[in-house]
Amino acid sequence: MNSEDAVRATNVLLEAFDGLAQMGGIAVTAEHESAFQAVFGWWAWINRSGKLVLIAHDAELGHESAPNVRSILEHTLVMQWVADAGYDALETLTALDDDRRRKLFDDAVLASWPLPEGLTRPEAEATKHRLRRKIENFAELCRDYEGAGQIYVAYRLLSTYVHPTAKGAEAFVRADWDLTAYPVNESDTYLFQTAICLIQAARTINTFLRNQDLTRAIEAAQEHLGGTVPRPTWKQSANPKDEASAE
């Protein structure tokens, strides 16, 4: 298996996404309709970001696509969490979004930033939602899933190139301290990480679909990678209803 296998796997899923999205209407199971509407945009982001990673690879800018790969990875697990936790996850995301808008509003006022007419400040929560830490801290979310330890390690490694870090700067300095315009010791792991995430995201979306339209694409993508790509397993103890009953 080589990097081109990862590219082929990713392209299979990109084509499946485009085909499903172009249908306009998608048959979703009744119990998952609200959650699907919430996560479809993330799925679109994951796939379009995957396409961006491939474009960067073709342009020999794979190293610079690290922030996109990290975003793909994070969106993929959060999307699965919404599928697993349902209403509680959606309620948490809505509350957190209001909180972010409130902070942005306050910062804009403090900076004398011109605000659109009629824009108001969202009201603060009376009490903090008990699941906020799951979405505010990616490590917390990863702990709720069997097999997600490796996801968090990959996330941390990719973070090195998202933020200004000494390690990130070293990517363009050779051992003899000669400078270079290209990253030193670049690998193609970002292509495999992207392909794996797109498969996992497709698996999540497939659970919403009445006809599981993505099954063939998932199988074809896995064939290119040479094995089954499972999703991490949600721990029973992470169930919000269980937490509520224990309080």
Side-chain angles (χ1 to χ4, degrees):
M1 184 173 59
N2 55 45
S3 61
E4 290 310 305
D5 293 321
V7 171
R8 293 187 190 98
T10 299
N11 275 322
V12 166
L13 294 166
L14 293 177
E15 290 173 9
F17 164 73
D18 287 339
L20 202 62
Q22 288 170 8
M23 290 172 58
I26 302 174
V28 180
T29 57
E31 65 269 26
H32 290 138
E33 188 171 339
S34 60
F36 179 79
Q37 291 176 350
V39 304
F40 176 79
W42 291 345
W43 187 45
W45 171 269
I46 289 167
N47 282 277
R48 290 175 61 82
S49 295
K51 188 178 295 185
L52 187 60
V53 171
L54 295 190
I55 292 172
H57 173 70
D58 289 340
E60 298 184 352
L61 294 170
H63 177 79
E64 285 69 30
S65 70
N68 301 94
V69 180
R70 190 184 83 147
S71 179
I72 290 170
L73 189 153
E74 183 177 10
H75 276 76
T76 298
L77 188 60
V78 173
M79 188 171 74
Q80 181 180 339
W81 180 61
V82 171
D84 290 335
Y87 177 78
D88 290 277
L90 293 175
E91 187 181 58
T92 302
L93 290 166
T94 299
L96 187 57
D97 188 55
D98 285 344
D99 192 34
R100 287 168 174 162
R101 287 172 50 221
R102 183 166 50 256
K103 290 178 180 177
L104 177 58
F105 184 95
D106 293 343
D107 288 338
V109 170
L110 187 63
S112 300
W113 187 278
L115 297 172
E117 186 176 351
L119 183 66
T120 58
R121 184 179 187 273
E123 293 296 326
E125 288 182 272
T127 58
K128 294 292 184 182
H129 199 282
R130 68 179 182 276
L131 297 182
R132 283 174 64 100
R133 67 183 186 277
K134 306 295 184 186
I135 194 67
E136 289 180 317
N137 187 336
F138 193 61
E140 279 283 342
L141 187 60
C142 288
R143 291 189 191 103
D144 282 352
Y145 283 86
E146 294 288 350
Q150 293 184 347
I151 291 176
Y152 186 63
V153 171
Y155 176 85
R156 290 291 303 274
L157 289 171
L158 290 165
S159 297
T160 300
Y161 304 104
V162 173
H163 307 293
T165 65
K167 184 64 178 177
E170 291 175 4
F172 294 88
V173 180
R174 299 186 187 280
D176 55 8
W177 291 101
D178 282 348
L179 307 182
T180 174
Y182 294 89
V184 179
N185 299 324
E186 182 177 8
S187 71
D188 293 331
T189 55
Y190 64 92
L191 289 174
F192 291 98
Q193 186 67 63
T194 298
I196 289 169
C197 284
L198 262 65
I199 290 173
Q200 291 174 331
R203 283 186 175 279
T204 295
I205 290 295
N206 218 27
T207 64
F208 294 119
L209 305 183
R210 195 178 302 162
N211 301 318
Q212 297 195 325
D213 309 86
L214 296 170
T215 299
R216 286 187 179 180
I218 292 168
E219 291 174 349
Q222 290 182 145
E223 286 178 9
H224 285 302
L225 293 187
T228 301
V229 177
R231 293 188 302 162
T233 304
W234 197 40
K235 297 176 183 176
Q236 184 62 33
S237 60
N239 191 321
K241 294 178 181 178
D242 292 341
E243 289 187 7
S245 62
E247 290 176 353

